[in-house]
Amino acid sequence: KLIFMQNNAGNTAIHKAAHFGNKETVKTLLDNLTPEQQLKLLFMQNNAGNTANHEAAHFGNTETVKTLLDKLPPEQQLKLLAVHNDKGMTSSQEAARIFGNENTKTTLEQYQIEADYRVKFREFAQFTLSLNRIRSKLICLIDVMLSYSFQTFFKEIYSIQITPIDSHQVFHNRFHTNFIDGISTANMSILALR
């Protein structure tokens, strides 16, 4: 496609639009591409190693920077913000070195922080979901172990056959009967001692 063609300096159409701060042209170029094509175009570097984001940042085109970054999911925003040009500078560093680009630098830093937060929050949510799954499995395992323990206990102590369906009811009935009988026997023993 023509949109990926580079001139002698390695610039694409989006590099030039970002350079001149033409956010509408940037938006139009990106809107007509698939997400995969957008990624390819936004990560293309010219002969100086600059992405379109570097170009927009260098010339203080804050709104163009926003337009470029808004097209990407948080993980890709972080990657684009971390791209270094041939001078070893990120787009944020490029904005900082030019006097008067404080707004652009601040905007880039805010995108960095927000994207990092969203990525970490998503990772935390996935971790929490995994913990909940493990918790559910442990609860099921404990239920099975307790059920088995009660069955074994009753089989040995009372020599009765318990099915899983009635094990809890049998436990309740036996416990209640034996507990009440035990109290009555204990009370009678105490009365007899007096």
Side-chain angles (χ1 to χ4, degrees), residues 67-163:
T67 303
L68 291 165
L69 291 172
D70 284 342
K71 288 294 181 182
L72 298 172
E75 295 84 2
Q76 296 301 327
Q77 286 178 354
L78 289 174
K79 286 181 183 177
L80 185 62
L81 290 168
V83 172
H84 290 81
N85 62 16
D86 292 350
K87 295 176 193 164
M89 300 181 122
T90 63
S91 53
S92 181
Q93 292 166 332
E94 196 62 50
R97 79 182 186 95
I98 306 296
F99 179 74
N101 286 352
E102 288 81 19
N103 287 344
T104 304
K105 179 184 176 292
T106 302
T107 298
L108 288 162
E109 289 169 348
Q110 287 172 341
Y111 269 89
Q112 175 90 30
I113 291 166
E114 289 173 14
D116 191 47
Y117 172 78
R118 284 181 275 172
V119 168
K120 286 191 178 7
F121 181 78
R122 187 176 299 133
E123 289 169 357
F124 177 74
Q126 290 171 344
F127 175 72
T128 303
L129 184 61
S130 295
L131 284 180
N132 283 337
R133 286 183 186 140
I134 291 169
R135 182 180 161 269
S136 296
K137 288 178 183 178
L138 282 173
I139 289 172
C140 289
L141 181 63
I142 290 169
D143 282 347
V144 168
M145 289 170 56
L146 286 175
S147 176
Y148 177 76
S149 296
F150 285 137
Q151 288 176 18
T152 304
F153 173 76
F154 286 123
K155 283 180 186 175
E156 290 176 8
I157 302 298
Y158 296 107
S159 302
I160 58 173
Q161 196 68 5
I162 300 173
T163 61

Side-chain angles (χ1 to χ4, degrees), residues 43-58:
F43 280 89
M44 286 182 75
Q45 293 175 278
N46 63 18
N47 296 348
N50 290 333
T51 63
N53 198 46
H54 281 91
E55 292 291 325
H58 179 82

